[in-house]
Amino acid sequence: MTVRSSQGPRRGGATKAAAILVTAAMGLMAISSPAVADGPAPRPPSASPGSAGPSVIFPGNDGKPHTVTTDARSMMVDGRRLNVFSGEFHYWRLPSPGDWRDVFQKMRASGFNAVSLYFFWGLHSTEPGRFDFTGIKDIDLLLTMAEQEGLYVIARPGPYVNAEISMGGLPAYLTKSGAGSLRSTDPAVLKESLDWIGAFDRIARKHQVADGGGSIVTYQAENELLNEGGDRPAFMKALVTKIKGDGITVPVFHNDYGANGAYVPGSGSAGGNVGLDYYAFDNYPLGFNCSAGRGQVPDMEPRVRALTATSPLFIAEGQGGAFTPWGASFNTDKCADFVDPAFTRQYGVNNLANGVTMFNYYMEYGGTNWGWTGSPSSGFTSYDYGAAVNEDRRLTPKATVQKELGYFQKDFAPISAMVPQAPVPVAVDGGAGTVKSYQRIATEDQAAASVSGNGARFLGFRQSDSNSTAELKYSFPLSLSPRKDVAAASYTTDDTDTAAKTRPTSTWPSKRTASTRPWSTPSRLW
């Protein structure tokens, strides 16, 4: 098959195979219907300005309590696995509540089932103990809109959020506290941090999936607390204790900067016993200098599995663009080219191949730094970020790739419960370079979800040099053996067809001569 990074999704008629069904994810645009709760018609959320009620019914707006849990493979709602596919949105960078819904609708239509929301303490509070949640700061309305538009919410109230905003979201009055660190157990600042969390939680706890009030499905405590030195673990524990004491019943996590191993629940370090429920991390493989060379796309599964064997792989911030610091030699359009559709495709497939079942693009919509809210060190008026939805709220070509990835995950449910298998051997038959292969196989419903009875599986391929633009031809054998014995011959044929072309849905023999541009190709096998 030939894979070209510049092409959009291809469409074609579906072919149902009696033996092996292989679907190229980048051609998959099948629409999966949203789950509808059993029983009486669900109670719609209370109406909000400009709304006629929910556009889709799901556990985030059906008015019923649901159990939210995680294990090593994915998040689950009432025991049903959920692949979380999210994008970041900052409401203060679009200070027009009537337009928040527009972004949410664009996200839902682009294949997302979740939105991640930072909450800006310094925007809501200009003096200790007083908080403003009205007008463009109405987060109750924000959360209601998200649930009405069928999006789960990843709530991220800090206290510190970074986000390239003034003081990382902390209020300016903290600088008068005299504390050596504004993120510490120093009584002068800890009380204010807990007061902010309490004010936020009074609204957030009414919007939880677990209680039937809304679509908050998980909650982040603090952000990128770089290490576990000094009183930082005690500070984190105080925050988590407050969060759970306020009635937050969905799972709580921390976003670990660069997957450095800080605050891993159950670890033997000081941060392993602060009350967090599971582990998450951020990942920006290309870097942030949009006029420099790009970094390599990494395989994160081995690294994360060395840290935790109990948490799902959750990239709480994955590269969706890059910011444009004051005085930089590049602008937002350069960052859109730097983090382009071809990278987005390869990065997305590579994450699926590494077992990432919870993912959030930072950013999905960047917006504008209004009223001196941007950090002078890393942002100016525009916060377009080169994101898939640009500052004018227009969809860019990158959004098309995201839609392909999102709809693939909706259509291919077994991917939420897969484990890695030995990669299939790949022979490069033409061109200069090497090809990496990935293989995953389902651990649940093997017989029901596959013709072989051994479980649905996922195959992914990409060039080892993720920045190469060479075209390669490669071939590989295909064996549908059981999960514990992948190398054994089973359901194997060898029917090389060098004339075969990629279709959105097609049957493949076990060996195929193919060519690839630098980006990835995923497949599903039933």
Side-chain angles (χ1 to χ4, degrees), residues 155-296:
R156 308 206 295 160
Y160 174 85
V161 297
N162 188 353
E164 288 76 59
I165 51 177
S166 179
M167 291 184 61
L170 301 178
Y173 58 75
L174 284 189
T175 60
K176 298 188 294 184
S177 67
S181 170
L182 303 185
R183 302 160 74 188
S184 71
T185 57
D186 187 312
V189 291
L190 179 59
K191 177 184 182 302
E192 304 300 341
S193 294
L194 297 181
D195 283 352
W196 157 246
I197 291 298
F200 173 78
D201 288 348
R202 282 191 288 275
I203 297 172
R205 68 189 176 205
K206 299 184 296 182
H207 291 271
Q208 297 182 93
V209 173
D211 300 332
S215 64
I216 293 178
V217 74
T218 191
Y219 183 119
Q220 179 180 312
E222 245 288 333
N223 182 59
E224 299 173 333
L225 200 58
L226 296 181
N227 58 56
E228 299 177 357
D231 68 348
R232 288 184 171 182
F235 174 60
M236 180 71 80
K237 187 170 185 177
L239 292 175
V240 176
T241 300
K242 171 65 174 174
I243 290 164
K244 295 188 175 183
D246 283 345
I248 299 301
T249 54
V250 295
V252 179
F253 70 96
H254 171 68
N255 176 31
D256 180 26
Y257 176 77
N260 288 321
Y263 303 97
V264 181
S267 71
S269 65
N273 186 31
V274 296
L276 295 167
D277 296 307
Y278 68 110
Y279 177 73
F281 60 99
D282 60 22
N283 182 241
Y284 294 89
L286 299 188
F288 295 100
N289 188 342
C290 299
S291 63
R294 304 199 297 186
Q296 292 284 326

Side-chain angles (χ1 to χ4, degrees), residues 92-145:
W92 67 89
R93 286 178 162 134
L94 183 61
S96 173
D99 293 327
W100 296 343
R101 188 180 302 279
D102 175 65
V103 174
F104 292 155
Q105 289 175 343
K106 285 182 169 74
M107 290 181 65
R108 178 75 189 186
S110 296
F112 290 93
N113 62 4
V115 59
S116 174
L117 302 171
Y118 267 149
F119 295 89
F120 188 170
W121 175 11
L123 178 75
H124 295 279
S125 182
T126 57
E127 57 182 299
R130 297 179 66 88
F131 303 95
D132 181 2
F133 296 108
T134 63
I136 63 171
K137 307 172 188 179
D138 188 347
I139 63 174
D140 182 73
L141 173 61
L142 177 77
L143 293 168
T144 298
M145 284 185 177

Side-chain angles (χ1 to χ4, degrees), residues 3 47 73 114 141 206 231 238 280 309 328 349 393 452 454 465 481 490 500 503:
V3 181
R73 292 168 195 156
L141 173 61
K206 299 184 296 182
D231 68 348
V349 173
R393 302 202 316 278
S452 69
N454 294 328
D465 177 2
S481 51
S490 174
R503 301 269 185 229

